[in-house]
């Protein structure tokens, strides 16, 4: 383990406590359109380098961009899910900078008139709920991908894969509303979950379809004015986001405490050294020489179209969680687990729709199904049909099989795809063990274990469990555990 950054900076906790962190995130999300934002090239991930390119996304002279309507539709859907106001008119601009991943020499982005502004999401952190403001959501094109071979300063080769160039992005800028690294983590988790529900992006951080830059500053607690901020890039996991913020906050406090000043700059998270490194001083908007994109018309989202899109909004995680808890009588925790993804929530509701009670469906899915899936390292799509799980649950509910037998049947069902009914019939598991059979088994167990009987009679209550276990085993787990308990109590007293 690396030393905690606190130790590294050597700042006393009471000094750290004098300051309040201020955090705002800029999140880039690749939209799941089939083709790019301004040309017909495929956006597929993982294709042979430079196979999905054309004169438009390669930025060749004389070409003209044409806006992909589906991009606007998806971004509008995301904006509505984030409680933003979607503007009837927005506009593209050119953001000029020179870098090999940007063949035109400018990125087409939205600047003065973004697609949407003024949204918020509710984030839970430390048991409390808090609204985090969303300043804007705007559209832009992604740049190409630089691949470096070798890591030494001098002898590296750089390759450029233009497949990514022109992939549609929406950038979601938050207000500087977060006050702790954990809050930023919670914001990003919530944002990602909402976007996944709307299905506008797969939000895969490893593949770069969700990328996050963090802006952070500190100020003395109780003061109003913000401190100078630093932007940290290259945060390709949730963990790095949190670690980088923790590191930066302590670095800022260290600089301020020693009488220094924070310079506004862009830094990179260095995951091998567990620290941030300065990359460049922060560029200002005027460095980009923004101006309206002359080759594209303003974007027009009519009220009618916007409302049409709004009608396709799915039930969002928060609403679904609340409904689950109210409608199915499950705990808020269960509701949270079951709404973690839309697929899981749909599955749960399908099991209930097939006739299984809410509470036991919730238990079966969380313990047996999710447990088995993770043990077998299988994707959720390998789950039994919801109707098959409902059938099994109802066999237990109606007393046809015991919970212990049902767990065994579940594993067989999971591995073989056979139905619970078939397995129970084929293996003769359905016969309820009658009271006589239980009593006979109990008598045999007692007769075989005189020493344990003596122990029990001498006051060793712990032995009772042993007797129950033996009788359950003798009845192949098919006896009702309560009945076994009752019979043993009677015979042993
Ligand atoms: P810039 O013009 O430098 O890009 P913006 O005003 O666009 O700055 O803000 C970029 C991001 O930085 C936003 O997410 C915003 O919430 C956040 N931010 C702005 N000021 C601060 C600050 N003083 N401390 C932390 N974050 C900030
Ligand atoms: Zn193209
Ligand atoms: Mg900005």
């Amino acid at each position: 383990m690396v030393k905690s950054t606190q130790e590294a900076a050597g700042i006393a906790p009471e000094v750290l406590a004098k300051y309040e962190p201020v955090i705002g995130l800029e999140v880039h999300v690749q939209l799941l359109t089939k083709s790019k934002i301004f040309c017909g090239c495929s956006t597929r991930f993982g294709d042979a380098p430079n196979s999905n390119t054309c004169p438009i996304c390669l930025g060749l002279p004389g070409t003209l961009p044409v806006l992909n309507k589906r991009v606007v539709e998806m971004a509008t859907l995301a904006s509505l899910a984030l409680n933003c106001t979607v503007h009837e008119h927005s506009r593209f601009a050119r953001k000029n900078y020179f870098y090999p991943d940007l063949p035109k020499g400018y990125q087409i982005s939205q600047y003065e008139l973004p697609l949407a502004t003024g949204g918020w999401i509710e984030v839970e952190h430390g048991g409390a709920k808090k609204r985090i403001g969303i300043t804007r959501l705007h559209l832009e094109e992604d740049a190409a991908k630089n691949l470096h071979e070798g890591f030494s300063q001098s002898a590296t080769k750089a390759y450029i894969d233009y497949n990514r160039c022109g992939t549609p992005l929406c950038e979601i800028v938050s207000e500087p509303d977060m006050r702790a690294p954990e809050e930023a983590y919670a914001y990003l988790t919530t944002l990602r979950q909402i976007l996944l529900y709307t299905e506008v992006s797969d939000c895969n951080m490893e593949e770069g379809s969700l990328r996050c830059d963090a802006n952070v500053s500190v100020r003395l607690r109780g003061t109003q004015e913000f401190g100078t901020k630093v932007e940290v890039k290259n945060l390709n996991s949730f963990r790095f986001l949190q670690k980088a913020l923790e590191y930066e906050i302590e670095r800022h406090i260290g600089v301020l405490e020693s009488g220094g000043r924070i310079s506004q700059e862009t830094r990179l998270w260095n995951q091998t050294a567990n620290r941030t490194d300065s990359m460049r001083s922060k560029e200002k908007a005027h460095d980009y020489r923004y101006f309206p994109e002359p080759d594209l018309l303003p974007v027009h989202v009519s009220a009618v179209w916007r409302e049409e899109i709004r009608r396709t909004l799915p039930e969002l995680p928060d609403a679904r969680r609340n409904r689950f808890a109210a409608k199915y009588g499950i705990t808020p925790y269960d509701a949270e687990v079951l709404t973690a993804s839309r697929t899981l929530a749909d599955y749960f509701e399908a099991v209930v729709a097939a006739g299984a009670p809410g509470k036991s469906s919730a238990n079966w899915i969380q313990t047996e199904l999710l447990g088995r899936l993770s043990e077998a390292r299988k994707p959720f799509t390998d789950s039994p049909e919801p109707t098959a799980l409902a059938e099994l649950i109802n066999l237990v509910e109606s007393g046809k099989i015991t919970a212990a037998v049902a767990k065994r049947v579940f594993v067989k069902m999971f591995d073989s795809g056979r139905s619970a009914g078939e397995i129970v019939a084929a293996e003769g598991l359905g016969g309820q063990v009658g009271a006589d059979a239980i009593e006979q088994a109990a008598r045999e167990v007692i007769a075989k274990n005189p020493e344990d009987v003596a122990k029990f009679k001498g006051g060793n209550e712990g032995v009772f469990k042993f007797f129950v276990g033996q009788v359950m085993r003798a009845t192949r787990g098919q006896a009702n555990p309560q009945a076994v308990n009752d019979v043993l109590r009677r015979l042993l007293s």
Side-chain angles (χ1 to χ4, degrees), residues 22 24-26 173-176 215-217 226-227 229 264 282:
V22 172
L25 300 187
E26 294 168 280
V173 182
S174 87
E175 288 290 306
N215 296 269
V216 53
S217 63
F226 286 153
K229 76 173 156 71
Q264 186 165 343
K282 172 78 187 172

Side-chain angles (χ1 to χ4, degrees), residues 358-428:
K359 183 74 196 144
S360 40
S361 303
N363 290 341
W364 272 90
I365 291 172
Q366 285 179 83
T367 50
E368 303 308 317
L369 177 60
L370 294 182
R372 193 78 198 123
L373 284 168
S374 85
E375 233 171 67
R377 294 174 189 280
K378 284 187 170 177
F380 192 78
T381 42
D382 284 1
S383 303
E385 287 298 313
T387 47
L389 182 58
E391 183 195 351
L392 174 67
I393 294 171
N394 280 329
L395 286 174
V396 187
E397 291 291 321
S398 62
K400 295 219 172 60
I401 58 174
T402 63
V405 167
K407 285 183 186 175
R408 276 162 31 214
V409 173
F410 177 78
V411 173
K412 290 191 175 154
M413 191 170 108
F414 185 92
D415 293 339
S416 68
R418 286 149 70 211
S419 80
E422 274 175 66
I423 296 167
V424 168
E427 310 202 0

Side-chain angles (χ1 to χ4, degrees), residues 13 71 133 149 285:
V71 168
E149 191 175 274

